[in-house]
Amino acid sequence: MTTELKDFLYELKNYADQTHILKDKYEKLPDNEKTLVMQHTPDAHLSPLTQDKLVFRWLGSMQSELSNSKT
């Protein structure tokens, strides 16, 4: 694995952690503030809940692929 890929995975893990924090904060918002957040989301109207799932799926897929290539 190249240093660049290791760096990418490190940053992807950090991004996943941050999306999880945002998801937790989003879940605590009242409905009217959730609506406000969704009106301004830049990612094709993906909620923080969906973004969290997608990023962790991406990270898990990468980790699985890399662990399988080691064996």
Side-chain angles (χ1 to χ4, degrees):
M1 180 183 332
T2 66
T3 300
E4 289 80 8
L5 184 55
K6 287 178 186 176
D7 288 346
F8 178 83
L9 289 172
Y10 174 81
E11 294 301 337
L12 182 57
K13 173 74 169 83
N14 288 340
Y15 179 59
D17 290 342
Q18 187 62 44
T19 62
H20 189 72
I21 291 167
L22 286 172
K23 177 193 74 76
D24 288 346
K25 299 298 182 185
Y26 176 80
E27 290 177 324
K28 294 177 183 176
L29 293 172
D31 287 343
N32 65 320
E33 291 177 347
K34 286 179 182 178
T35 300
L36 177 66
V37 169
M38 291 307 299
Q39 288 172 344
H40 297 278
T41 184
D43 294 328
H45 300 288
L46 296 177
S47 75
L49 304 171
T50 302
Q51 290 182 33
D52 182 61
K53 288 178 189 173
L54 292 173
V55 170
F56 274 94
R57 193 176 304 149
W58 181 14
L59 178 61
S61 176
M62 293 284 301
Q63 290 172 332
S64 177
E65 174 81 18
L66 292 169
S67 69
N68 288 338
S69 69
K70 288 180 181 177
T71 58

